Amino acid sequence: MSNQPISLRQALTTFDALWSPRIVTRVNDYDVRIAKVEGEHIWHAHDDTDEFFLVLDGELHISLREPGGERTVVLPQGAVFTVPAGTEHRPAAPTGAAILMFEPTGTPTVGDRHDEVPAHVDATTGHNLHA
């Protein structure tokens, strides 16, 4: 853990990979992760932990499968949202976004249960779709 301030803006310039979070620091047993996102991620759930999102730039959509049905929350820049443990969700950023997440150290990006992870490059954007 760094004993110096961390510029999130600068940290985001150090990588281009989409849907591939980077750990910027740790708080107790939690990773503070940043990621660049664009397009749709996969449906997944974290069975034993909530997942916190803060939109640093752009807009993030999070589709949720809840007991009452499916819904989507839209998070503009500066908004936060917590997906409850065990809730299937699919983040998406139609025009791209930068996000910050809090998750217990070691939490897989695709959760404990998930759809098949694509392992190809999107022909229209050239972005790696592997989560």
Side-chain angles (χ1 to χ4, degrees), residues 51-131:
E51 187 172 20
F52 172 88
F53 293 89
L54 165 63
V55 179
L56 301 170
D57 187 39
E59 184 176 88
L60 184 68
H61 301 193
I62 303 176
S63 296
L64 304 158
R65 290 180 176 156
E66 300 172 312
E70 194 173 301
R71 71 179 175 117
T72 299
V73 294
V74 177
L75 307 174
Q77 181 177 334
V80 300
F81 185 76
T82 301
V83 175
T87 302
E88 283 188 283
H89 59 287
R90 181 183 63 202
T95 59
I99 60 175
L100 180 142
M101 298 164 289
F102 283 98
E103 297 176 312
T105 298
T107 299
T109 302
V110 294
D112 307 315
R113 318 179 255 120
H114 54 81
D115 286 352
E116 184 175 336
V117 177
H120 64 280
V121 173
D122 182 86
T124 59
T125 65
H127 296 196
N128 183 347
L129 297 177
H130 184 74

Side-chain angles (χ1 to χ4, degrees), residues 15-29:
F15 65 96
D16 291 319
L18 296 174
W19 302 107
S20 183
R22 303 298 198 264
I23 298 169
V24 291
T25 192
R26 290 195 168 88
V27 178
N28 298 315
D29 296 332

